[in-house]
Amino acid sequence: MAPTRFTLRFDPEATYFLVGCLGGLGRSLTSWMMDNGARRFIFLSRSGTDSKNAGLLVKEIEAKGAIVQVVRGDASSREDVENAVKSVSASYPIKGVVQAAASFQDAMFSSMTYEQWVNSIRPKVIGTKNLHEVLAGVPLNFFVMTSSTSGTLGTPGQANYAAANSFLDALARHRVSSNQNACSLILPMVLGVGYVAEHPEIEEGLRRKGIYGIDEEHMLQSFEAGISPRDNNNQTDHIVIGMDPAELQKSLQSADTTDAFWLRDARFKCLLQAIQSTDSETHAPKQSILSTIKVANSPAEAIEVAAEYFTDKLVRLLHLDRQEIEPNTKSIAAYGLDSMIGVELRNWIFKEFELDIAFQKLLAPSLTIKKFAAQVCGVEVE
Ligand SMILES: NC(=O)c1ccc[n+]([C@@H]2O[C@H](COP(=O)([O-])OP(=O)(O)OC[C@H]3O[C@@H](n4cnc5c(N)ncnc54)[C@H](OP(=O)(O)O)[C@@H]3O)[C@@H](O)[C@H]2O)c1
């Protein structure tokens, strides 16, 4: 007989300590916690209810009977965390923590400033360490941290954010191994709510990397799994969401996917095998561009094929109108490559054409699509 599904109920007499939860995902989570019995919340946030959406959420849940404390403070300040914890009435002790603070400061690692690194690291690393230490003696039913698949995959352009999330995964393991509650909820991009939903350019970048998104309902189900009580049979310290081989296979087939960098990472060999076994059921293997070039009838035809293939990629990557393409005269740089997209394009060129082209060469004012195609085909052109 299938086990009955556990229904999560929160204790209305307990206080839930929510950090970073006046942001997109946290607001959705808070409403859901209310719907499932929670009545007492303490939020720690630097901007409190300054934003319209944060103010609305607090008003809305108070109107439904919630007792809300909004503490203005920084999770990476030990003093702010201690003051917030001290302000909770002993009659309604803290029984659960959600740490969802984050600061997104994307940049390629080579050009990332120290400030960008630190700003992204602080809320997750120092902030979570503070929560872990300040609440060390408090018996908690859950201590959930929102991590990201960026940490698992090592997403280019997010070295700071990836490192910060990996810290959460390691801290969860440390806590569970010392018999403390913890779950690192490793989320993929969430569609419809949250930071990615408010920044479509990030969603586009992740789609190009073959990553798919989950909706709000899926995100809340993941929280439910992360918050649910543990027992001796369930000591899970992290839950990875959004890496279902069948879904990844679909996103890898999409024309949007041009830089699935993680496929080349040996750590994901088993995942790749699982994706390929789904793939072989539905798709015949594709011929590589290099083999198409090799069987061309003449050098001119090979150059044409390579130029077409490269143009397709450039059009998709930079959202160009095909009319703008002037393969013989306009330089590749003139289509508007920035360093993030440039790195993606270089990786793609290496994967598809087995050509390791220096960034400066790719951006050279004299390098047209035609000249690039000729170089790939090993043909000298003027
Ligand atoms: N959105 C997604 O698709 C996605 C995917 C994977 C993982 N996640 C994770 O889910 C969590 C929530 O993401 P979101 O989309 O809701 O982001 P969000 O809307 O930007 O919310 C993050 C919140 O963190 C707070 N914060 C930042 N630094 C802080 C600090 N030092 N101390 C206290 N609070 C701080 C911010 O509030 P103040 O500025 O007022 O402090 C902000 O409201 C993050 O941990 C993120 O890494 C999100």
Side-chain angles (χ1 to χ4, degrees), residues 19-20 22-26 44-48 73-76 99-104 123-124 146-148 161 165 187-190 193-196 198:
V19 183
L22 290 172
L25 300 197
L44 178 65
S45 146
R46 294 163 309 167
S47 63
D74 185 329
S76 64
Q99 154 61 325
S103 170
F104 302 84
K124 286 191 183 254
T146 50
S147 179
S148 161
Y161 182 65
N165 284 302
L187 295 166
M189 64 172 157
V190 180
V193 281
Y195 189 84
V196 174
E198 289 156 21

Side-chain angles (χ1 to χ4, degrees), residues 6-266:
F6 169 79
T7 317
L8 188 70
R9 292 298 297 169
F10 292 93
D11 180 352
E13 300 293 299
T15 299
Y16 295 103
F17 191 10
L18 306 183
V19 183
C21 288
L22 290 172
L25 300 197
R27 293 195 302 272
S28 165
L29 169 75
T30 308
S31 303
W32 171 80
M33 287 177 74
M34 264 302 278
D35 293 343
N36 288 286
R39 286 295 174 270
R40 293 178 174 270
F41 302 96
I42 175 163
F43 293 96
L44 178 65
S45 146
R46 294 163 309 167
S47 63
T49 49
D50 287 354
S51 86
K52 192 173 146 220
N53 286 335
L56 274 176
L57 171 86
V58 171
K59 276 204 185 116
E60 206 176 287
I61 59 174
E62 281 179 339
K64 287 186 188 164
I67 314 289
V68 180
Q69 244 180 295
V70 177
V71 176
R72 228 175 242 272
D74 185 329
S76 64
S77 149
R78 172 99 180 200
E79 203 188 340
D80 287 357
V81 174
E82 280 171 349
N83 288 341
V85 171
K86 273 189 214 144
S87 74
V88 175
S89 156
S91 315
Y92 305 102
I94 296 174
K95 287 204 180 160
V97 174
V98 177
Q99 154 61 325
S103 170
F104 302 84
Q105 307 267 324
D106 293 5
M108 292 315 291
F109 187 62
S110 51
S111 53
M112 185 179 287
T113 63
Y114 177 68
E115 272 187 346
Q116 283 173 317
W117 174 266
V118 170
N119 288 345
S120 184
I121 292 285
R122 283 187 76 85
K124 286 191 183 254
V125 177
I126 315 291
T128 315
K129 188 169 168 284
N130 285 340
L131 292 167
H132 165 67
E133 289 173 358
V134 173
L135 291 159
V138 179
L140 297 172
N141 294 338
F142 60 86
F143 185 100
V144 171
M145 298 163 277
T146 50
S147 179
S148 161
T149 51
S150 271
T152 314
L153 297 170
T155 306
Q158 294 194 317
N160 45 2
Y161 182 65
N165 284 302
S166 296
F167 174 82
L168 303 184
D169 306 343
L171 182 74
R173 175 150 299 190
H174 168 71
R175 284 181 60 96
V176 169
S177 67
S178 39
N179 293 321
Q180 289 171 291
N181 244 314
C183 180
S184 188
L185 202 58
I186 305 181
L187 295 166
M189 64 172 157
V190 180
L191 309 174
V193 281
Y195 189 84
V196 174
E198 289 156 21
H199 294 81
E201 71 288 357
I202 297 187
E203 180 184 335
E204 265 181 42
L206 292 172
R207 282 197 190 282
R208 287 201 298 274
K209 292 174 174 60
I211 294 160
Y212 69 92
I214 58 168
D215 62 16
E216 186 177 1
E217 196 187 335
H218 195 158
M219 185 264 297
L220 290 172
Q221 283 167 354
S222 314
F223 266 109
E224 184 167 5
I227 286 171
S228 294
R230 303 288 188 264
D231 57 30
N232 286 338
N233 299 321
N234 177 4
Q235 294 291 326
T236 316
D237 54 63
H238 70 276
I239 301 174
V240 184
I241 301 114
M243 293 189 70
D244 174 347
E247 292 298 323
L248 285 170
Q249 188 265 325
K250 276 190 236 156
S251 47
L252 289 171
Q253 294 293 333
S254 151
D256 293 340
T257 300
T258 52
D259 183 31
F261 67 93
W262 49 274
L263 287 178
R264 299 186 292 278
D265 188 329

